[in-house]
């Protein structure tokens, strides 16, 4: 058992998933199953990296992926916490919309152009059902 009670194990053998992916998957599984309750404060990046013998960048990458998936939320200097379990579909849709908005902005689209593209895609998708 680790001092943080996360019980994370990283398999370093050849052919195993990347360490950040193993960490991401284990935290996501525990959060979705309720073994890590909503509001549970995760260890700091450095603390967990030291505990697991990983580079801090590896843990940070896993935390970023978990945040992108809506599994955790970062509250600035207060830390990283397991996000509320309810509304998974809405959270996932919001994350997808955020990613689309960022991509549209990088492509140089105006807000109206981005909205038109999203609206057209939604109409086409829902019309197909």
């Amino acid at each position: 058992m680790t001092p943080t009670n996360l019980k994370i194990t990283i398999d370093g053998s050849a052919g195993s998933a990347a360490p950040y992916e193993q960490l991401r998957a284990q935290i996501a599984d525990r959060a979705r199953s309720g073994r890590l309750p909503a509001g549970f404060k995760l260890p700091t990046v450095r603390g967990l990296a030291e505990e697991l013998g990983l580079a801090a960048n590896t843990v940070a990458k896993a935390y970023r992926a978990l945040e992108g998936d809506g599994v955790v939320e970062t509250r600035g200097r207060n830390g990283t916490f397991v996000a509320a379990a309810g509304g998974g579909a809405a959270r996932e849709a919001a994350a997808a919309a955020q990613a689309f908005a960022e991509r549209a902005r990088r492509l140089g689209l105006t807000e109206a152009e981005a909205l038109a593209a999203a609206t057209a895609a939604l109409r086409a998708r829902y019309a197909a059902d």
Side-chain angles (χ1 to χ4, degrees):
M1 183 181 294
T2 64
T4 57
N5 296 322
L6 288 178
K7 298 182 182 178
I8 300 292
T9 57
I10 303 298
D11 181 359
S13 63
S16 60
Y20 92 90
E21 177 56 27
Q22 292 179 52
L23 178 58
R24 185 211 59 76
Q26 289 179 57
I27 291 174
D29 177 60
R30 285 167 177 79
R32 289 186 179 121
S33 71
R35 287 180 285 169
L36 288 178
F40 179 87
K41 185 175 182 180
L42 293 173
T44 64
V45 167
R46 276 200 181 123
L48 189 55
E50 287 177 20
E51 186 176 314
L52 298 174
L54 297 173
N57 285 340
T58 299
V59 175
K61 185 175 182 178
Y63 277 18
R64 282 191 304 272
L66 287 162
E67 188 169 22
D69 292 343
V71 175
V72 302
E73 57 189 19
T74 301
R75 301 178 189 164
R77 293 190 166 268
N78 292 322
T80 302
F81 298 81
V82 174
R91 268 200 328 270
E92 189 173 332
Q98 181 65 38
F100 169 78
E102 290 171 4
R103 179 84 186 264
R105 178 80 178 207
R106 281 194 310 271
L107 292 170
L109 298 178
T110 65
E111 183 178 342
E113 290 169 331
L115 185 57
T119 300
L122 286 168
R123 285 185 180 144
R125 177 63 191 114
Y126 281 92
D129 287 346

